[in-house]
Amino acid sequence: MFTIHRHKTLLYLKALTSQPNPNPIFHHFCTATSKSTPFAVSYLIHNLGFSPQSASKLSSTYELRFKTTQKPDLVLNFFRNHGVSDSQLRHMVAKAPWLLSCDPSKRVFPKFQFFLSKGASTSDVVNLVSRCPVLLSPSLENHIIPTYEFLSRFLQSHKGIVTHAIRNPFLFTHHVVSHNIRMLIENGVPDSSISRLLRVDSKVLNTNGLLKLVQELKDLGFNPSQTIFSVALHAKRTVMKARWKEKVDVFKKWGWSDEDVLEAFRKQPHCMLTSVDKINLVMNFWVNRLGWDAIAIAKVPRILGASMERKIIPRALVVEFLLKKGLRKKKASLTSPFLITDETFIDKYIKPFKEESSYLLKLYEEKLNLAHDKDNEASMI
């Protein structure tokens, strides 16, 4: 269990209080301020740069009642000595105004020390607490440490936990996170899938009502023990109902039925993460340019996630040529050429046709080079 030596803490905080007040004229200002301006409001204006309106609203909303500069000065000195900027301080106080009345030796310093002891740098901790100052609210002993130890089961490294905490500080502030993880375990989701969720979409674990989504996916035939379940859960949480319906309608516009959409989602949940523009782009090329059956993609929805320039167009033009020349059976799978590696594609669809191989290779590589050039141009912008 993480412990803090009291005398070390007091010495450290004594050093902080020896720092000059961030605004030396504030004490004089307070004595000259109109009685109609509450002390806390004046402090917010002249020490943190809040406007009179926002300072007044913040003070009244959160009932800021400190009457001297002692505690808020101590808090501001602590954060400023750790490299927190004034703009970050304003954000922190706006989100967690109680900080100005807290005892840093009890509410702040121990949490800083805990994350530092786990390999986080001072800038990491500053980034973490400045983005989500609510992290400084829960009990270190009763919440933050148990949550950290629980997450280490899935992330398995101090660096990984700190990195994900910075990306999603709510992992340490929402009690629902641990509850949802335990619920997933009870429903048969393996640790490897939970680890994937933490890496790819940790916010899914903040979700209230996650059990409902889990049950919905089980009703659709998803097996929680399979990796694809976590992908489907990510898709269900990420895509809002209105956007989900919009994508279903787009697929149906291209000839899919509701069952085709469900079949595609069961096979490759990523298809519902594909943008409407990308869906239309792929379908338009597949159906209108090539004249191929749109239902083929419903059977192999992985194609929707492939790059148009680097995979779909170059390979499709080769397959189209082979079909026109009678070098490929008309009943052969239209989708299989898009599911293999570049090397295997060349070996299977270009090299065997000796008379046409030079033309096919040139056609294929021209499109790939064009895609490569576009990528380079984009990277230079």
Side-chain angles (χ1 to χ4, degrees):
M1 185 64 69
F2 181 77
T3 59
I4 296 294
H5 297 293
R6 180 67 178 175
H7 70 279
K8 181 179 179 181
T9 303
L10 291 174
L11 287 173
Y12 182 78
L13 292 175
K14 183 178 180 181
L16 288 184
T17 57
S18 67
Q19 300 293 326
N21 191 299
N23 188 347
I25 66 171
F26 180 68
H27 292 283
H28 172 73
F29 170 83
C30 289
T31 62
T33 300
S34 169
K35 293 181 180 180
S36 63
T37 303
F39 183 89
V41 173
S42 298
Y43 192 92
L44 291 173
I45 294 171
H46 292 275
N47 276 273
L48 286 162
F50 282 94
S51 68
Q53 294 80 7
S54 58
S56 179
K57 182 177 180 180
L58 193 65
S59 177
S60 60
T61 301
Y62 293 95
E63 298 184 351
L64 298 184
R65 293 289 184 265
F66 55 87
K67 299 295 185 181
T68 71
T69 65
Q70 183 179 2
K71 281 190 175 181
D73 278 356
L74 189 64
V75 171
L76 295 189
N77 280 332
F78 175 87
F79 285 121
R80 283 175 171 141
N81 274 274
H82 280 82
V84 180
S85 68
D86 284 355
S87 61
Q88 288 174 319
L89 276 172
R90 278 193 297 275
H91 172 77
M92 292 173 68
V93 170
K95 295 291 184 182
W98 55 266
L99 282 170
L100 293 177
S101 301
C102 81
D103 180 349
S105 67
K106 295 179 180 179
R107 298 295 294 275
V108 182
F109 182 56
K111 290 158 190 174
F112 263 68
Q113 288 295 90
F114 173 74
F115 284 107
L116 289 171
S117 75
K118 297 303 182 181
S121 66
T122 301
S123 61
D124 285 336
V125 182
V126 168
N127 189 14
L128 182 61
V129 301
S130 63
R131 288 185 59 205
C132 185
V134 177
L135 178 68
L136 296 169
S137 179
S139 164
L140 176 64
E141 300 290 336
N142 298 328
H143 181 75
I144 293 178
I145 292 177
T147 299
Y148 188 98
E149 292 174 346
F150 190 39
L151 290 175
S152 67
R153 167 177 168 176
F154 308 99
L155 295 175
Q156 299 179 345
S157 76
H158 295 318
K159 183 177 180 180
I161 298 173
V162 171
T163 298
H164 285 84
I166 291 172
R167 291 177 184 170
N168 180 15
F170 294 108
L171 288 175
F172 284 94
T173 60
H174 282 201
H175 288 78
V176 74
V177 171
S178 295
H179 171 78
N180 279 336
I181 291 177
R182 291 188 176 89
M183 179 273 295
L184 291 175
I185 294 171
E186 291 169 1
N187 275 272
V189 179
D191 285 11
S192 58
S193 291
I194 295 174
S195 298
R196 184 187 183 281
L197 281 172
L198 283 166
R199 293 192 304 272
V200 176
D201 182 22
S202 61
K203 291 182 180 179
V204 71
L205 299 172
N206 304 351
T207 307
N208 290 313
L210 186 61
L211 178 59
K212 183 179 179 181
L213 291 182
V214 169
Q215 190 58 53
E216 184 179 339
L217 291 176
K218 290 168 71 173
D219 291 343
L220 289 174
F222 285 95
N223 185 342
S225 67
Q226 297 177 346
T227 302
I228 200 172
F229 186 86
S230 63
V231 182
L233 195 59
H234 169 53
K236 270 292 185 181
R237 188 206 73 85
T238 304
V239 185
M240 298 296 100
K241 287 185 178 180
R243 178 64 72 175
W244 189 282
K245 183 180 183 304
E246 181 183 3
K247 293 182 180 184
V248 171
D249 290 341
V250 169
F251 284 127
K252 291 170 74 173
K253 181 189 75 173
W254 290 105
W256 291 19
S257 65
D258 286 321
E259 186 54 42
D260 289 329
V261 177
L262 282 177
E263 180 184 3
F265 179 61
R266 291 190 191 102
K267 289 182 176 180
Q268 184 56 265
H270 272 298
C271 70
M272 294 306 290
L273 294 168
T274 306
S275 70
V276 169
D277 288 342
K278 177 68 179 298
I279 294 170
N280 280 322
L281 191 64
V282 173
M283 289 297 195
N284 182 60
F285 180 75
W286 191 273
V287 175
N288 295 334
R289 166 62 179 81
L290 300 171
W292 296 351
D293 186 4
I295 303 302
I297 295 182
K299 305 296 182 184
V300 189
R302 278 176 55 191
I303 294 174
L304 290 168
S307 166
M308 282 290 294
E309 291 79 11
R310 293 190 298 276
K311 181 173 284 187
I312 295 177
I313 293 175
R315 297 189 184 192
L317 295 181
V318 170
V319 173
E320 182 186 40
F321 178 87
L322 295 176
L323 288 169
K324 286 181 178 179
K325 292 293 184 178
L327 299 173
R328 182 168 171 78
K329 294 180 181 179
K330 291 184 178 180
K331 292 186 179 180
S333 170
L334 291 171
T335 56
S336 59
F338 301 91
L339 307 177
I340 53 182
T341 65
D342 291 340
E343 184 178 356
T344 302
F345 178 82
I346 292 173
D347 289 342
K348 189 172 182 178
Y349 295 97
I350 294 179
K351 288 183 178 180
F353 307 100
K354 297 189 182 302
E355 294 183 6
E356 294 83 6
S357 61
S358 59
Y359 170 77
L360 289 173
L361 189 59
K362 180 181 179 182
L363 176 67
Y364 180 68
E365 290 183 341
E366 279 181 350
K367 293 300 180 182
L368 285 180
N369 290 336
L370 182 62
H372 181 68
D373 291 340
K374 285 184 177 179
D375 288 342
N376 287 338
E377 291 175 5
S379 66
M380 294 174 66
I381 296 176

